[in-house]
Amino acid sequence: MTIGGQGPYGPPWPPPGNPYGPAGPYPPHGPRPPSAPFPPYGHAPDHPHPYAPYGPYPPPPRPSLWRRFREDEWPTLRELLGIVRRIPGCIWGLVLCCGWPFVVLLLTYPLARSARRASLLVFPVDRARRLLDPDLVLLQKIRAGLALAASFAILAVWGTSEDWEEAQDQFTLRLMTTPWLLLLTAPLVLAVLFRFAPPAARPGMWSRLRPARRAVLCYFGAFTAVPALLLGMFALHRKFPDSVPVAVLVVALLAPVLWLVFFVVLSSPTAVRTAFNTTQVHAALPALLTGVLVWEFAALNLAIAELPPGPPLVRMSALLGGPASVTALVWWEIRRLRTRFGVSLRG
């Protein structure tokens, strides 16, 4: 039964035409007509956005410069100069007169940014750990903070000026020798892991060593190229002191030398953490390398430098406390890998 010939429940829907007003097309710019707040079946094709009178919504705020540096998204020099332009002229005068290192850093920033991008290609940051354990990371940070506080406390109570200088020398020596000790230690630890691994797992481990070989060649190639280029520059300058082409060549070689220095400095933290990309071979490799390296550094400090200052008990605790605590963390990490992730030294 129909009512007025329009269907059993009233007039047909949708009725002819638009009950909400004109359906468009709307002008590309300008406010939406008040008689038609929204088209019933989507926005008109000529309209840029269905909520154009109230939007489009602004883009999300751009991260700060400090956050971009931390996330390895270094801004370009043009972006940095755009921020520097906002500095008043009087401050710029002080910077130019007293802050010449800042000006030099600004001029060498493009080389540093290019070297950082190259270091990320060779040593990706995401390869630092295959399996992340937040509790373990927190405990490692606490241990490092306590060790640093204990070292400062021992030097502050019993140390002299010579002890402070010796501590600085040991820190510099550790920075210089860490890549070389790591290069000598990693093959030994890898040989032990390959010995424990089952025969079926060894081909996959060998295939994951390819990035490590490339990383070692790139890092130590840059590490040895810097002194070689510097010695060549000095030799050319001494042999031809008044030659203009030689002087131009020496100045031109400064750019690649600086680029190589930036590459070595910026890639060293990730190279040490990833053991030159060998952490992809086995998840327990970083822990084993850390446990071996810490005892190698203790033996090196004992052979080169003297014991820390203080009473005999404090000196022995300072010498053996660090390696022992690191070894305990290494044992706990390997146990957590076995119990939580099913990773053992044999597979």
Side-chain angles (χ1 to χ4, degrees), residues 31-69:
R32 183 182 293 277
S35 59
F38 302 103
Y41 305 113
H43 62 279
D46 295 336
H47 205 276
H49 195 275
Y51 303 98
Y54 314 101
Y57 299 109
R62 197 164 189 177
S64 61
L65 285 180
W66 177 248
R67 184 176 178 183
R68 293 180 66 182
F69 277 112

Side-chain angles (χ1 to χ4, degrees), residues 18-331:
N18 190 355
Y20 302 102
Y26 303 113
H29 301 286
R32 183 182 293 277
S35 59
F38 302 103
Y41 305 113
H43 62 279
D46 295 336
H47 205 276
H49 195 275
Y51 303 98
Y54 314 101
Y57 299 109
R62 197 164 189 177
S64 61
L65 285 180
W66 177 248
R67 184 176 178 183
R68 293 180 66 182
F69 277 112
R70 288 189 60 185
E71 296 178 354
D72 295 320
E73 297 180 0
W74 290 20
T76 60
L77 183 61
R78 181 179 298 179
E79 293 175 346
L80 285 180
L81 291 178
I83 297 175
V84 169
R85 288 175 192 164
R86 304 173 189 173
I87 301 177
C90 57
I91 299 179
W92 257 116
L94 293 175
V95 169
L96 292 176
C97 294
C98 305
W100 60 268
F102 172 77
V103 178
V104 173
L105 181 62
L106 193 64
L107 294 177
T108 57
Y109 176 77
L111 292 175
R113 185 172 181 267
S114 174
R116 180 56 178 171
R117 296 178 64 182
S119 68
L120 289 177
L121 292 177
V122 180
F123 301 100
V125 180
D126 55 354
R127 293 182 183 175
R129 282 290 189 271
R130 291 181 60 187
L131 301 174
L132 288 177
D133 191 346
D135 297 335
L136 179 64
V137 173
L138 178 61
L139 195 60
Q140 289 174 347
K141 292 181 180 180
I142 293 174
R143 184 261 158 202
L146 291 177
L148 186 62
S151 300
F152 273 105
I154 291 174
L155 290 175
V157 175
W158 293 288
T160 59
S161 59
E162 297 179 356
D163 295 328
W164 284 96
E165 293 178 359
E166 186 177 354
Q168 295 177 2
D169 295 339
Q170 289 181 4
F171 180 74
T172 305
L173 179 65
R174 181 169 296 188
L175 289 179
M176 296 297 296
T177 57
T178 296
W180 299 99
L181 280 179
L182 190 60
L183 182 65
L184 297 175
T185 307
L188 300 177
V189 179
L190 283 172
V192 174
L193 286 177
F194 272 95
R195 177 66 180 84
F196 279 107
R202 292 173 185 173
M205 296 173 68
W206 275 114
S207 64
R208 289 192 292 269
L209 274 177
R210 295 173 185 172
R213 292 193 291 264
R214 184 171 67 98
V216 168
L217 290 176
C218 292
Y219 184 86
F220 285 97
F223 198 92
T224 55
V226 172
L229 287 176
L230 289 176
L231 290 176
M233 292 165 58
F234 285 128
L236 285 175
H237 183 67
R238 284 186 177 182
K239 191 172 183 179
F240 306 99
D242 299 329
S243 177
V244 177
V246 171
V248 172
L249 178 61
V250 169
V251 173
L253 286 176
L254 288 176
V257 169
L258 284 176
W259 190 93
L260 292 172
V261 170
F262 283 130
F263 177 81
V264 171
V265 171
L266 295 175
S267 60
S268 292
T270 310
V272 171
R273 286 199 306 269
T274 60
F276 299 104
N277 293 336
T278 56
T279 54
Q280 299 297 308
V281 179
H282 200 285
L285 182 62
L288 294 176
L289 280 175
T290 304
V292 175
L293 282 175
V294 71
W295 287 105
E296 290 178 351
F297 279 122
L300 185 65
N301 291 335
L302 186 61
I304 295 178
E306 298 180 356
L307 290 174
L313 182 61
V314 174
R315 300 173 73 179
M316 294 303 299
S317 300
L319 178 65
L320 301 177
S325 60
V326 172
T327 305
L329 278 178
V330 166
W331 176 83

